[in-house]
Amino acid sequence: MSMPALTNDRASNVVPTASASSTASVVTMTPKQAPAAERYVKMAREVAVRVVPPLIVLVLFMLVWELLCRRAGSALPPPSRVFSDTRELIFDPFFDHGGIDKGLFWHLEASLRRVAIGYAIAAIVGVALGTLIGQSVWAMRGLDPIFQVLRTIPPLAWLPLSLAAFRDGQPSAIFVIFITSVWPIIINTAVGIRNIPQDYRNVAAVVQLNPLEFFAKIMIPAAAPYIFTGLRIGIGLSWLAIVAAEMLIGGVGIGFFIWDAWNSSHISEIILALFYVGIIGFVLDRLIAVVGKIVTRGTATN
Amino acid sequence: MAYLKLDHVDKVFTRGAATTEVLKDINLTIEKGEYVSIIGHSGCGKSTMLNIVAGLTTATTGGVLLEEREVNSPGPDRAVVFQNHSLLPWLTVYENVRLGVDKVFARTKTRAERDAWTMHNLNLVQMAHAKDKRPNEISGGMKQRVGIARALAMEPKVLLLDEPFGALDALTRAHLQDSVMALHQKLGNTILMITHDVDEAVLLSDRIVMMTNGPSAHIGEVLEVALPRPRKRLDLATNPTYVKCRQRVLEFLYERHRFVEAA
């Protein structure tokens, strides 16, 4: 080919070590490779930096709690009491004596199942409606003000209405999850769609993508970082809402487990359940964050 | 017979009650295989003009004819190389080029042929080695090469370049100008390029269209660059024709149509 000017461009792109081996005059530079042991030490140090500080704080917190609550007549049990009271629940989360007398695993599973269904519907509806609002000015003018009002309604306020409509606890709880988590998904998706650079739209126009291809190949990937922000807020809110909703609808579920423990004055069980609720909420949040990070790699860093 | 023709194109932007006439009575004919540059100060509507040819903006009156047929919507027969490359960041270099190839040759080429054609075009711009990289992993010059490959791969009748080298450093720009020149030589594309760089315009073009300042910008002067091809950057520096052409454009831009900064 007759493009002498171009050849340099490629050479400049090669890692120095690779080109060095072909030309004798250049001093070979091997990248410093740390020995295995040294690398493990470095990795361990990095992990320690993240793990040790919260552990110290946790131990201190437990210590203070223990000291404050160990005297006789205190309202709340100290950590040692919590552990001894709930030992059975901790070590046997899978028992099932029928009715609502089940291990914690089953309660959490029931709650997670409701969240999964409600959240999945919210994700689908939210992205679809968000796309509509982001893409169509008239849809935005018509729907956005209404959504802005609806989204401020506290999740539990929907519960009586949905109980009236569905006449059953299970679908009502799922509806509450849906209605709680759908708003941030709608709003963030709409913002993401509205912020698609004109350049990408121009590219799509020149290539002549049809609306369906435009949706799948341009809109969704371009708006993905925003969509995942909405999804992450949504999962957090739905986990917040499920506990409250379950307290009211009863049956199997971590929310009702807590309420039941309160009615039976098993304060230690409440504390254990709260611990699990927190951990699972954290894991759900991280899960969506990780999925988002994988899906939006490349997009976010442009 | 004119290959591409801009026929009495006017463009008026209306915002509320205020109207701004950006382009006024643009008439331009471009022959097949010709390399035409449009030069003018910023804000003179040259990008608007290119967008009208691309179909991304519609002319208020008048129209664009490509091979005697009016064009008023975007299409792959007038592929654009955008100033800021506009590669889709979530696709690899290969996928970015393949996107257009798949649409344009959906019926006429098999899957294997489309793959080969994509690679062929990446090879033309010497980017085949980076085919699996994402745009944010390659340099600005390389991104623009991929942008050129994407446009070329659509086999456009007219290649539209919207200040394609504007965002690049001087050395990279020179490299890319050379390769665009080589591609034009090799493939014989019809090219319409927007630029604000006088040397670039003279080096690359067969004709230079000089725009007056806006509002109501129009074509002030058209200059033939009668330099034989292939052109060599180094030889041209002292070439009397080159120097004269350069002088003419500079005079137009800086004496007769000085850019008056809007206070």
Side-chain angles (χ1 to χ4, degrees):
Chain A
M1 248 190 298
S2 57
M3 276 182 282
L6 290 187
T7 45
N8 284 340
D9 199 301
R10 185 187 289 194
S12 66
N13 226 350
V14 176
V15 192
T17 48
S19 63
S21 57
S22 58
T23 46
S25 58
V26 180
V27 178
T28 316
M29 274 174 42
T30 38
K32 227 171 80 180
Q33 186 83 318
E38 216 170 284
R39 263 182 302 157
Y40 285 130
V41 170
K42 208 175 162 197
M43 253 162 61
R45 195 173 292 152
E46 273 167 23
V47 171
V49 165
R50 281 162 168 263
V51 172
V52 172
L55 270 183
I56 293 173
V57 173
L58 199 66
V59 168
L60 283 176
F61 172 72
M62 290 284 200
L63 213 68
V64 173
W65 178 8
E66 181 77 42
L67 289 174
L68 282 177
C69 296
R70 82 186 306 172
R71 64 200 160 75
S74 86
L76 295 176
S80 54
R81 265 276 303 288
V82 171
F83 183 75
S84 58
D85 283 354
T86 59
R87 181 187 290 262
E88 268 170 61
L89 282 169
I90 293 171
F91 291 111
D92 183 16
F94 298 109
F95 72 86
D96 184 353
H97 301 319
I100 57 161
D101 190 8
K102 292 176 198 282
L104 271 171
F105 174 81
W106 301 110
H107 287 287
L108 288 166
E109 191 246 23
S111 299
L112 278 172
R113 185 179 300 236
R114 290 185 186 115
V115 167
I117 298 170
Y119 179 72
I121 300 171
I124 294 164
V125 173
V127 170
L129 277 177
T131 306
L132 183 71
I133 294 178
Q135 188 67 358
S136 147
V137 176
W138 281 105
M140 186 187 79
R141 287 181 189 161
L143 292 172
D144 195 57
I146 296 170
F147 287 172
Q148 295 297 345
V149 173
L150 287 180
R151 77 186 177 92
T152 61
I153 298 173
L156 276 191
W158 291 98
L159 190 62
L161 189 68
S162 59
L163 277 170
F166 294 111
R167 296 167 190 285
D168 187 14
Q170 181 76 354
S172 304
I174 291 171
F175 175 77
V176 169
I177 296 305
F178 163 79
I179 207 77
T180 310
S181 53
V182 78
W183 309 118
I185 301 175
I186 292 177
I187 290 163
N188 280 283
T189 304
V191 171
I193 299 286
R194 231 172 286 153
N195 282 347
I196 294 176
Q198 187 59 39
D199 292 336
Y200 298 168
R201 294 181 188 274
N202 286 348
V203 169
V206 169
V207 179
Q208 287 186 328
L209 295 180
N210 63 39
L212 206 67
E213 288 169 319
F214 181 65
F215 176 75
K217 292 186 176 170
I218 309 281
M219 277 168 121
I220 292 298
Y226 291 89
I227 295 176
F228 272 96
T229 306
L231 288 174
R232 228 177 129 182
I233 299 170
I235 196 79
L237 289 181
S238 50
W239 192 239
L240 288 182
I242 189 67
V243 174
E246 283 175 346
M247 284 185 176
L248 294 175
I249 63 163
V252 180
I254 193 69
F256 188 68
F257 176 88
I258 294 171
W259 193 246
D260 195 41
W262 160 243
N263 282 331
S264 329
S265 303
H266 293 152
I267 308 298
S268 296
E269 287 182 11
I270 298 177
I271 291 167
L272 177 70
L274 290 187
F275 174 76
Y276 279 133
V277 168
I279 292 290
I280 289 180
F282 175 75
V283 169
L284 288 177
D285 181 68
R286 296 311 309 166
L287 195 71
I288 302 292
V290 166
V291 172
K293 209 170 182 180
I294 293 169
V295 172
T296 61
R297 86 198 119 85
T299 318
T301 51
N302 190 43
Chain B
M1 185 193 86
Y3 189 64
L4 177 74
K5 183 171 184 183
L6 280 82
D7 196 9
H8 296 93
V9 169
D10 289 355
K11 179 67 189 178
V12 180
F13 282 115
T14 313
R15 175 166 286 171
T19 58
T20 323
E21 189 175 43
V22 182
L23 294 172
K24 189 178 169 61
D25 200 30
I26 303 289
N27 286 291
L28 180 65
T29 56
I30 296 171
E31 303 303 324
K32 191 169 183 180
E34 215 180 354
Y35 196 128
V36 175
S37 294
I38 299 172
I39 196 164
H41 292 291
S42 57
C44 75
K46 50 191 195 300
S47 277
T48 309
M49 192 164 147
L50 187 106
N51 281 342
I52 290 172
V53 177
L56 296 167
T57 311
T58 50
T60 310
T61 57
V64 179
L65 297 160
L66 178 61
E67 289 187 313
E68 308 280 288
R69 289 171 64 181
E70 184 171 13
V71 285
N72 44 25
S73 63
D77 56 345
R78 284 152 289 128
V80 187
V81 177
F82 298 94
Q83 176 175 13
N84 52 353
H85 68 78
S86 295
L87 298 180
L88 304 176
W90 53 88
L91 298 180
T92 64
V93 162
Y94 174 87
E95 288 163 342
N96 264 292
V97 179
R98 182 70 186 262
L99 183 73
V101 172
D102 276 348
K103 279 303 283 183
V104 177
F105 302 106
R107 293 208 185 80
T108 49
K109 280 190 185 355
T110 65
R111 185 174 285 267
E113 280 169 346
R114 293 202 295 262
D115 170 67
W117 178 245
T118 306
M119 287 315 295
H120 170 74
N121 281 283
L122 282 174
N123 269 316
L124 277 181
V125 296
Q126 312 220 333
M127 283 302 295
H129 62 97
K131 74 183 184 75
D132 294 322
K133 292 224 165 84
R134 280 172 203 281
N136 59 16
E137 296 170 323
I138 58 179
S139 69
M142 291 168 125
K143 281 178 201 163
Q144 203 50 279
R145 276 172 200 279
V146 179
I148 293 168
R150 176 172 64 185
L152 283 176
M154 294 182 227
E155 268 192 341
K157 289 178 178 152
V158 181
L159 187 60
L160 303 172
L161 309 179
D162 187 2
E163 293 189 26
F165 317 121
L168 305 173
D169 64 87
L171 289 175
T172 314
R173 191 184 307 164
H175 272 306
L176 264 159
Q177 286 166 349
D178 287 341
S179 38
V180 165
M181 210 158 28
L183 284 168
H184 179 234
Q185 190 81 8
K186 185 173 168 164
L187 305 173
N189 303 81
T190 311
I191 301 179
L192 181 61
M193 178 177 80
I194 303 284
T195 184
H196 49 225
D197 180 331
V198 176
D199 287 298
E200 180 173 292
V202 180
L203 176 68
L204 295 174
S205 323
D206 296 316
R207 275 192 298 155
I208 300 172
V209 174
M210 291 173 253
M211 303 282 291
T212 63
N213 287 327
S216 302
H218 54 273
I219 294 175
E221 200 174 314
V222 179
L223 176 71
E224 294 268 351
V225 183
L227 287 165
R229 291 179 187 273
R231 297 172 182 170
K232 290 248 164 54
R233 182 183 299 278
L234 283 176
D235 305 347
L236 286 179
T238 51
N239 182 313
T241 318
Y242 178 86
V243 174
K244 207 189 282 169
C245 288
R246 200 170 170 275
Q247 195 64 29
R248 278 281 294 278
V249 180
L250 286 171
E251 272 170 21
F252 179 90
L253 288 177
Y254 299 106
E255 267 182 30
R256 275 174 288 156
H257 297 276
R258 282 178 80 94
F259 181 58
V260 189
E261 194 81 49

